Amino acid sequence: MYQATVGQRGYRFGDLRQLMAKASPARSGDYLAEVAAQSAEERMAARIALADLPLKAFLQQALVPYEEDEVTRLIIDGHDAAAFEPISHLTVGDFRDWLLSEQADSAMLAQVAAGITPEMAAAVSKLMRNQDLILVAKKCRVVTRFRNTIGLPGHLSVRLQPNHPTDSLQGIAASMLDGLLYGSGDAVVGINPASDSLPLLEKLNYMLDDVIQRFAIPTQSCVLTHVTNTLRLIERGAPVDLVFQSIAGTEAANRGFGISLALLAEAQQAALSLRRGTLGDNVMYFETGQGSCLSANAHHGVDQQTCEARAYAVARHFSPLLINTVVGFIGPEYLYDGKQIIRAGLEDHFCGKLLGLPLGCDVCYTNHAEADQDDMDTLLTLLAAAGLTFLIGVPGADDIMLNYQSTSFHDALYIRELLGLEHAPEFAAWLAAMNITDERGRLRDAAANHPLLLALQGERT
């Protein structure tokens, strides 16, 4: 039992799950799950009680039962006690103050990352203002490598997302080459296929590999199909760079995705056996998003932001090259409007970086949410200021296959210009060598005989 008094009224919270949920900023998904605070006063009372809670409590009380959930077992059994030691004496409120202090510099945050559980990260985020989330995330340094180097300070990568509603190879190639001419694609060239046809998925892998090899592009490709399809593609000898999978924060939700920790481990080993990375062996790519556990009725009464943070424990176990929250994709049932989407994006980025992950964000919304592109401009700017690892580049910011609004190649140009952010260094050198950028890293006008444009003409003929 946890309790706190606000004004003349006392509040009680039956268990840690309820305390965490009531302390969360208001969002539609938690109201849908009937776990949210019923008033701003109750929310503040929960935060007061949460601030006094020792961080050690999260190692003693599982929000999702240990016996029922392999994600919980992963979190508890994999906890690094030595990394936790420097902060083990803190309460959640003290932890917030420490994170904002000069003592918690980049080196110290990297040192303690393995000792922080997802629940600890989620708890402290509930006590933080947006500026706190930005400031602390900015101090976190997470660098990964496959064919280039992602996550260096002062850098921002872009996933080039050339989706097509009928998986047209020509349409995908056109969007891909368009994005490369805008300087996008250093995070990954990643396609969300419309079909699960294995022969088509194989063709997509070969096409991406052909372009990357033909032009010696220091980047990686990924066809974002189910992990079991990727395993079959590897068995067929397809040129697979990264293994993709959507993941969630409970075993039951992951079961709904058709995955388990054992399956992900099998896929990771299969990808590593191909030895396709030239600079590193981070071969996994994960996507997450607040609301996935609730939509699968697999949240165990845990608030959606804490469930999201638990998904990061799954990702952390497999040392991914990339992980991003698709923050507004599920819809207004979970994040109702621009305000809630912005807050969720900052929370996700903060929690992921604090746990030692290369967190990116699909800054996005569905057309029936109370949000617009101005909200996305705001979130993009805030995340980039917070040290975002990568964002999504979609032609015109409108994904014609997934039918949602995201960020464009032009948005990436805007944020690089505004904040002076650079491409992955190997990719930047390639852009200059291909005469796509000038000596200052700015785009050049592509001549009609540019090799990429000639290649596109060849695809069309």
Side-chain angles (χ1 to χ4, degrees):
M1 177 73 70
Y2 305 92
Q3 56 189 9
T5 300
V6 177
Q8 301 299 314
R9 182 173 179 181
Y11 290 88
R12 294 187 177 186
F13 308 97
D15 56 25
L16 189 51
R17 277 184 301 186
Q18 186 181 73
L19 179 66
M20 290 277 281
K22 299 289 188 181
S24 289
R27 65 203 57 194
S28 52
D30 288 338
Y31 286 114
L32 182 65
E34 299 182 341
V35 300
Q38 295 305 301
S39 67
E41 188 175 275
E42 184 183 24
R43 184 172 298 110
M44 182 54 66
R47 289 175 178 173
I48 291 170
L50 183 61
D52 290 335
L53 184 73
L55 290 178
K56 289 180 179 178
F58 292 103
L59 301 175
Q60 300 159 355
Q61 303 177 54
L63 301 186
V64 182
Y66 181 94
E67 299 77 14
E68 300 175 17
D69 189 88
E70 67 174 0
V71 177
T72 298
R73 293 193 291 274
L74 177 69
I75 293 168
I76 298 299
D77 296 346
H79 182 251
D80 189 328
F84 181 60
E85 178 59 29
I87 58 173
S88 61
H89 62 289
L90 300 177
T91 65
V92 176
D94 293 334
F95 188 35
R96 172 190 175 274
D97 294 341
W98 180 83
L99 288 170
L100 291 168
S101 72
E102 293 183 2
Q103 180 184 354
D105 58 14
S106 297
M108 178 58 74
L109 289 173
Q111 178 182 327
V112 302
I116 301 171
T117 69
E119 290 85 355
M120 294 175 193
V124 74
S125 77
K126 298 175 192 301
L127 305 184
M128 302 177 91
R129 294 170 57 185
N130 286 0
Q131 64 175 248
D132 300 336
L133 299 174
I134 294 167
L135 187 61
V136 175
K138 178 72 171 180
K139 296 192 287 186
C140 297
R141 302 279 186 257
V142 183
V143 178
T144 57
R145 294 178 176 88
F146 189 76
R147 289 200 189 99
N148 58 23
T149 306
I150 296 171
L152 293 171
H155 292 65
L156 174 67
S157 294
V158 177
R159 170 188 160 188
L160 202 172
Q161 185 167 299
N163 294 345
H164 193 279
T166 63
D167 289 330
S168 163
L169 295 182
Q170 290 182 334
I172 290 170
S175 293
M176 178 180 177
L177 295 172
D178 182 36
L180 290 170
L181 287 169
Y182 276 108
S184 292
D186 51 343
V188 64
V189 181
I191 301 171
N192 296 93
S195 170
D196 281 332
S197 163
L198 210 62
L200 175 61
L201 298 175
E202 193 169 28
K203 287 180 181 179
L204 292 175
N205 270 282
Y206 275 106
M207 184 201 73
L208 293 176
D209 184 62
D210 176 66
V211 174
I212 289 174
Q213 299 301 328
R214 191 191 324 176
F215 295 103
I217 309 173
T219 191
Q220 37 282 327
S221 67
C222 186
V223 176
L224 282 71
T225 187
H226 193 270
V227 63
T228 53
N229 288 333
T230 304
L231 277 168
R232 293 167 68 190
L233 290 169
I234 292 174
E235 291 169 358
R236 291 165 67 117
V240 172
D241 286 344
L242 305 183
V243 174
F244 168 80
Q245 184 55 50
S246 295
I247 57 174
T250 68
E251 179 180 347
N254 284 326
R255 192 183 308 122
F257 283 141
I259 62 169
S260 65
L261 297 179
L263 179 60
L264 293 177
E266 178 186 355
Q268 183 187 35
Q269 290 306 309
L272 286 171
S273 72
L274 300 180
R275 301 182 181 277
R276 292 178 58 81
T278 55
L279 295 184
D281 58 2
N282 299 115
V283 297
M284 305 299 282
Y285 176 20
F286 297 117
E287 282 189 346
T288 66
Q290 289 194 26
S292 57
C293 289
L294 175 57
S295 67
N297 194 29
H299 59 98
H300 296 269
V302 177
D303 66 273
Q304 66 181 33
Q305 190 252 333
T306 302
C307 284
E308 170 72 4
R310 284 169 54 90
Y312 302 155
V314 177
R316 182 167 64 175
H317 185 65
F318 295 101
S319 304
L321 179 75
L322 305 165
I323 170 175
N324 68 271
T325 169
V326 192
V327 66
F329 183 69
I330 301 182
E333 300 85 356
Y334 306 93
L335 296 170
Y336 178 73
D337 57 14
K339 181 179 177 65
Q340 292 187 11
I341 292 171
I342 289 168
R343 174 68 189 191
L346 295 176
E347 288 172 347
D348 294 351
H349 181 251
F350 163 83
C351 288
K353 284 291 184 65
L354 193 62
L355 293 169
L357 285 169
L359 224 295
C361 184
D362 189 346
V363 179
C364 63
Y365 65 101
T366 56
N367 289 312
H368 61 309
E370 291 294 322
D372 58 29
Q373 213 64 38
D374 285 340
D375 295 315
M376 300 305 102
D377 288 349
T378 299
L379 178 54
L380 169 61
T381 305
L382 294 174
L383 285 171
L388 183 69
T389 302
F390 73 103
L391 69 149
I392 307 299
V394 178
D398 184 0
D399 193 301
I400 58 174
M401 195 285 282
L402 294 173
N403 195 30
Y404 76 116
Q405 309 305 311
S406 185
T407 45
S408 71
F409 308 139
H410 299 83
D411 294 327
L413 295 178
Y414 146 73
I415 202 64
R416 290 191 198 281
E417 177 72 17
L418 179 70
L419 299 179
L421 300 171
E422 301 179 19
H423 300 86
E426 302 84 359
F427 193 79
W430 177 82
L431 290 173
M434 290 292 291
N435 207 32
I436 295 173
T437 57
D438 62 19
E439 62 278 0
R440 296 178 299 170
R442 295 185 177 180
L443 284 184
R444 295 181 185 270
D445 291 333
N449 63 347
H450 193 281
L452 289 178
L453 292 176
L454 292 177
L456 176 57
Q457 292 171 12
E459 289 288 340
R460 287 174 173 170
T461 58

